[in-house]
Amino acid sequence: MRFVLALLLCLTLPAHAEGFLTRLLNKPVPGGVAVVDLGNDASAPKARYDGKPVLVVREDDQRWIAIVGIPLTVKAGQHSLDVAGKAHGFRVEPRTYREQHITLKNQRQVNPNPDDLKRIERELDEQTRAYRQFSERQPSNLLFDKPVNGPLSSPFGLRRFFNGEERNPHSGLDFAAKTGTPIKAPAAGKVILTGNYFFNGKTVFVDHGQGLISMFCHLSQVDVKVGDELVRGAVLGKVGATGRATGPHLHWNVSLNDARIDPSIFIGAFKL
Ligand SMILES: [Zn+2]
């Protein structure tokens, strides 16, 4: 019996000690992140998930790890990365998300009119193209700073009902903060898109490198322009309630390989 137990332990323990980044980021659930060990080649391997390039960094100056964003729509079970034609498997565990019911006075924000729908489609297209950008830079830090000083309000992934009608799930994390509170870049990055959108209001997109992209929404004021290079902690705008918002707050999206994932993972606040 003791032998069987020892054997089982050998089989379940990783072949090497997990580093800080793996412990921080490996939350393999829909809307989470899978960290996949890619070995210790001399140069960085190129990994793809669902055909899209994936963030690859060195852990503890030793091994390469892929940090894979898992879309909310992915089913639990076995999944794989493509690394130079070879499959590297990882498991996605189930996670259930709660419901949230929101009442909006402006019915047009629940059921937009045909002109609004044209605008929404155009804006979605522009934002999707921003999320699909992939720059070769290494992120300055993967343990992010909180973008505002304020308590977390709405978590990521809530199934949302506006005036009783189900709409897209909550794609980001909300912070309660007063209008005018400065919003700071949680890591260094380049401003790749700004806009004033139907749902998101005044918005800034920041590329932190290798498909890791932040979006900040509902701003009262945007303080940067496309092409600006931001250092970690640089102020990019102020909290507001523009777009579809019931009151002032910051909505923050984090995207990896074009998958919107739970930002709480990157500030060490993830809870199952
Ligand atoms: Zn939100």
Side-chain angles (χ1 to χ4, degrees):
M1 187 60 200
R2 195 171 285 171
F3 172 75
V4 174
L5 201 65
L7 191 69
L8 271 176
L9 274 175
C10 288
L11 290 174
T12 52
L13 284 175
H16 58 94
E18 285 184 348
F20 169 74
L21 287 177
T22 301
R23 290 196 305 273
L24 175 75
L25 300 175
N26 192 36
K27 315 290 176 197
V29 294
V33 169
V35 178
V36 182
D37 180 30
L38 300 183
N40 54 5
D41 291 359
S43 60
K46 299 254 183 239
R48 285 183 171 265
Y49 177 57
D50 199 16
K52 292 168 184 165
V54 164
L55 169 63
V56 173
V57 298
R58 249 207 204 296
E59 174 144 82
D60 300 335
D61 292 325
Q62 287 178 12
R63 303 184 70 83
W64 297 104
I65 51 172
I67 302 174
V68 188
I70 306 168
L72 253 179
T73 49
V74 153
K75 297 259 184 296
Q78 197 63 23
H79 291 262
S80 71
L81 280 185
D82 179 278
V83 185
K86 273 197 191 147
H88 284 240
F90 62 92
R91 242 197 114 63
V92 175
E93 304 297 336
R95 184 188 191 189
T96 42
Y97 290 97
R98 287 186 294 120
E99 287 184 6
Q100 180 186 36
H101 291 260
I102 298 167
T103 306
L104 291 173
K105 284 191 205 114
N106 185 351
Q107 187 60 29
R108 201 173 139 192
Q109 291 181 330
V110 183
N111 291 310
N113 69 37
D115 281 347
D116 293 337
L117 286 173
K118 267 188 226 150
R119 177 183 163 192
I120 290 162
E121 200 179 324
R122 201 171 57 237
E123 293 178 351
L124 186 67
D125 199 56
E126 187 173 298
Q127 295 175 60
T128 304
R129 268 185 278 129
Y131 279 128
R132 289 184 181 162
Q133 292 193 28
F134 192 89
S135 58
E136 290 300 332
R137 74 168 72 203
Q138 286 277 333
S140 61
N141 47 293
L142 287 167
L143 176 56
F144 280 173
D145 305 322
K146 280 168 70 174
V148 292
N149 269 327
L152 304 182
S153 43
S154 248
F156 169 89
L158 288 174
R159 294 181 49 214
R160 293 182 310 175
F161 296 77
F162 291 95
N163 301 357
E165 298 189 45
E166 185 160 18
R167 292 293 179 263
N168 286 334
H170 194 220
S171 59
L173 180 63
D174 290 353
F175 292 82
K178 284 193 198 130
T179 296
T181 305
I183 303 164
K184 295 176 181 174
K190 185 180 184 174
V191 178
I192 54 168
L193 181 65
T194 64
N196 188 359
Y197 300 117
F198 185 85
F199 289 129
N200 293 337
K202 292 185 184 172
T203 296
V204 174
F205 279 74
V206 177
D207 173 11
H208 302 295
Q210 293 196 49
L212 179 58
I213 291 165
S214 279
M215 175 179 76
F216 307 89
C217 303
H218 309 308
L219 277 52
S220 57
Q221 185 185 314
V222 171
D223 292 332
V224 291
K225 58 183 190 314
V226 171
D228 285 357
E229 287 286 351
L230 307 182
V231 295
R232 178 179 181 175
V235 173
L236 56 93
K238 312 281 190 309
V239 170
T242 54
R244 187 174 64 186
T246 49
H249 70 282
L250 172 66
H251 172 102
W252 175 36
N253 268 16
V254 173
S255 184
L256 258 180
N257 49 270
D258 192 28
R260 260 52 84 203
I261 51 179
D262 189 343
S264 72
I265 296 170
F266 289 84
I267 53 171
F270 179 83
K271 289 189 200 98
L272 262 182

